[in-house]
Amino acid sequence: MLVNNNLHRPLEVVLAIPVRTYDIDFVGIVSNIVYIRWLEDLRLKFLDEHLQLNQQLEQGYAPVLAGTEIEYKRPIKLIDQVIGRLWVSNLGRLKWTVQAEILSNNELAAVATQKGVFISLQNSRPIPIPKELQNKYLECQQPNQKT
């Protein structure tokens, strides 16, 4: 299954992901747990580009995951060329959802959805989505709303 890269993907980030020898399990493919680390790497790249984590911490809040779903499409091996893509698929008042694809040799190897919230570091309670992220997300939606 080849990937269509012409889809609307708000705030998308792309990351080349090296497959390490320690990522491989006993049958010679990337272990399922490694995908969780790759998703974390993608979210950190997202934050670097769109809402820097150090600034969030200074302002007293941080993102927290509420759930992760991964569907594995094909195995990845040590010599494969891996690319990860992550984008915001939904941004509500309190909750956010990101979607991701893991590509191996330009073929879809896994898809994932992660949901979360931003929390106050003082009381660990959810806060509204930061305005900076809301504005960036809305700017990405504008081209789709023109008819």
Side-chain angles (χ1 to χ4, degrees), residues 22-36:
Y22 52 80
D23 294 334
I24 305 302
D25 66 14
F26 69 98
V27 295
I29 60 175
V30 170
S31 175
N32 292 356
I33 194 69
V34 173
Y35 291 80
I36 298 294

Side-chain angles (χ1 to χ4, degrees), residues 67-79:
T68 299
E69 294 179 20
I70 301 175
E71 184 178 340
Y72 304 97
K73 302 287 189 178
R74 65 186 300 274
I76 297 176
K77 298 182 179 179
L78 183 62
I79 61 170

Side-chain angles (χ1 to χ4, degrees), residues 16-104:
I17 301 172
V19 180
R20 308 287 187 198
T21 54
Y22 52 80
D23 294 334
I24 305 302
D25 66 14
F26 69 98
V27 295
I29 60 175
V30 170
S31 175
N32 292 356
I33 194 69
V34 173
Y35 291 80
I36 298 294
R37 189 182 78 236
W38 290 350
L39 290 171
E40 182 73 11
D41 292 340
L42 281 162
R43 279 194 329 281
L44 287 172
K45 180 170 175 71
F46 175 86
L47 292 174
D48 282 346
E49 290 189 18
H50 299 295
L51 193 64
Q52 298 217 337
L53 187 57
N54 62 337
Q55 291 175 356
Q56 292 178 54
L57 297 174
E58 288 171 6
Q59 294 174 19
Y61 66 91
V64 174
L65 276 178
T68 299
E69 294 179 20
I70 301 175
E71 184 178 340
Y72 304 97
K73 302 287 189 178
R74 65 186 300 274
I76 297 176
K77 298 182 179 179
L78 183 62
I79 61 170
D80 291 346
Q81 299 297 309
V82 178
I83 300 289
R85 297 178 179 278
L86 180 134
W87 63 94
V88 177
S89 60
N90 189 33
L91 199 62
R93 191 178 83 73
L94 293 175
K95 297 178 183 176
W96 52 263
T97 304
V98 294
Q99 289 186 288
E101 292 178 340
I102 305 294
L103 307 164
S104 174

Side-chain angles (χ1 to χ4, degrees), residues 124-142:
S124 298
R125 298 189 52 93
I127 64 168
I129 300 294
K131 285 286 186 203
E132 180 181 350
L133 186 58
Q134 287 179 22
N135 291 339
K136 285 185 175 190
Y137 182 73
L138 289 174
E139 285 175 18
C140 288
Q141 299 302 338
Q142 296 302 326

Side-chain angles (χ1 to χ4, degrees), residues 8 16 146:
H8 181 65
K146 293 179 182 176

